[in-house]
Amino acid sequence: QAQLVESGGGSVQTGESLRLSCAVSGYIYSNHCMGWFRQVPGKEREGLVAINNDDSPIYADSVKGRFTMSQDKDRNTLHLQMDSLKPEATAMYYCAVVTFCGGVLHWEQYTFWGQGTQVTVSS
């Protein structure tokens, strides 16, 4: 089964940047969706950006133009470059994967999840 481990979180000030990584191990089907999500305690998990196979990433309006997702050619590592961070970005960030999906930003469709990495943005 697939295993995912996020890293790169931390505490930064408003306007600074962070780069998150997600290491994927185990068997991964050739057809898959992979994405980044975040969750604040008491609020619903939010899809940030995801890709369907080798298609272009789909971004949520809340992060479009500031966050950038990429993956290695062998698809074993995901990255999330986060620029111009704001306090509203404070959350637990997760990467996830599923064999196939319809709406790539719908977290309910994803099967395998990492443990999360905390991002805190102070003003």
Side-chain angles (χ1 to χ4, degrees), residues 55-108:
D55 293 341
S56 298
I58 303 298
Y59 291 89
D61 290 339
S62 60
V63 302
K64 192 176 301 182
R66 298 184 297 109
F67 289 13
T68 304
M69 177 181 175
S70 62
Q71 64 175 344
D72 293 350
K73 293 182 64 177
D74 59 6
R75 302 181 182 179
N76 65 355
T77 306
L78 300 176
H79 304 281
L80 183 65
Q81 178 68 38
M82 305 186 296
D83 297 323
S84 302
L85 284 168
K86 303 175 182 178
E88 303 91 270
T90 297
M92 184 72 74
Y93 284 70
Y94 301 90
C95 60
V97 63
V98 69
T99 54
F100 63 90
C101 64
V104 296
L105 294 177
H106 294 179
W107 64 268
E108 298 90 344

Side-chain angles (χ1 to χ4, degrees), residues 22-37:
C22 173
V24 182
S25 62
Y27 181 76
I28 301 295
Y29 292 99
S30 58
N31 296 324
H32 63 272
C33 297
M34 293 182 173
W36 287 94
F37 305 80

